[in-house]
Amino acid sequence: QVQLQESGPGLVKPSQTLSLTCSVSGGSISSGYWSWIRQPAGKGLEWVGLIYTGKGTNYDPSLKSRVTISIDTSMNQFSLHLTSVTAADTAVYYCGSGGSPIDYWGQGILVTVSS
Amino acid sequence: SYDLTQPPSLSVSPGQTASLTCSGDKLGDTYTSWYQQKPGQSPVLVIYQNTKRPSGIPDRFSGSNSGNTATLTIDGTQAMDEADYYCQAWDNRVIFGGGTKLTVL
């Protein structure tokens, strides 16, 4: 069974870049789809984007201008970069295996945008 | 944009059947998945491709998709099933419904 673990800063200043990494174990990241999802406190799930074999990407249209998802097969990790963050980007960020559906989810990491 | 609509809440008594709905204009043309999320926990996939259950999901969970409505059915609902449930589909991007809070009381 694939296991995923998010890591990165829990606090980011407004206008800066949010950067998170998802470490994958129990499976190779060289194939398949890998996703990022976020959830503001007390609210529903919001899809951020995904990356797939061949390093193609697909992002939510509302975030597309600010998001980059990349993959490092040597480290079996994939990453999320979200630029020009505001308080509205404060959320628990999850990484997941799969695109549709998302088969397995990481435990999530709370990222707060605040000065 | 394409939206998935779920009722915000549903209450059932233990042992009863819970039917959670998800509606969307193009839902019948695509696969629907369902996720269970308990407080403070990550979502768990409970149904994919409309009707399939991942390994380890109890068979009291079932799914259907007809017309513009997908339904997650929980037969013999148990207290442990109390959670938020999200439907999800694909339309050139991943789309989530707003979620239904299932209360078992």
Side-chain angles (χ1 to χ4, degrees), chain A:
Chain A
Q1 176 175 324
V2 173
Q3 293 184 315
L4 305 102
Q5 177 70 59
E6 304 87 352
S7 60
L11 181 65
V12 182
K13 289 182 167 51
S15 79
Q16 294 191 342
T17 297
L18 179 160
S19 296
L20 297 175
T21 296
C22 182
S23 299
V24 178
S25 59
S28 172
I29 204 169
S30 299
S31 63
Y33 291 69
W34 305 91
S35 297
W36 286 98
I37 310 95
R38 68 183 187 179
Q39 185 173 35
K43 296 189 178 181
L45 301 171
E46 299 179 356
W47 183 66
V48 175
L50 60 79
I51 189 166
Y52 53 94
T53 306
K55 300 185 180 179
T57 54
N58 193 326
Y59 304 131
D60 187 270
S62 68
L63 298 172
K64 189 173 184 177
S65 63
R66 299 194 291 130
V67 172
T68 302
I69 297 176
S70 59
I71 199 163
D72 184 343
T73 53
S74 66
M75 296 291 289
N76 224 41
Q77 295 175 337
F78 63 107
S79 299
L80 168 69
H81 299 278
L82 180 65
T83 63
S84 304
V85 297
T86 69
D89 296 309
T90 294
V92 174
Y93 284 76
Y94 296 100
C95 60
S97 65
S100 182
I102 300 166
D103 306 288
Y104 298 102
W105 298 61
Q107 66 181 33
I109 182 169
L110 173 62
V111 179
T112 301
V113 179
S114 175
S115 55

Side-chain angles (χ1 to χ4, degrees), chain B residues 18-58:
Chain B
S19 295
L20 293 84
T21 60
C22 174
S23 61
D25 286 344
K26 308 176 190 178
L27 208 51
D29 299 333
T30 187
Y31 285 130
T32 301
S33 300
W34 291 89
Y35 303 88
Q36 176 194 69
Q37 186 180 32
K38 296 181 179 180
Q41 298 184 18
S42 304
V44 173
L45 178 68
V46 294
I47 293 289
Y48 66 102
Q49 291 183 10
N50 298 334
T51 61
K52 297 180 179 180
R53 274 182 292 108
S55 174
I57 300 302

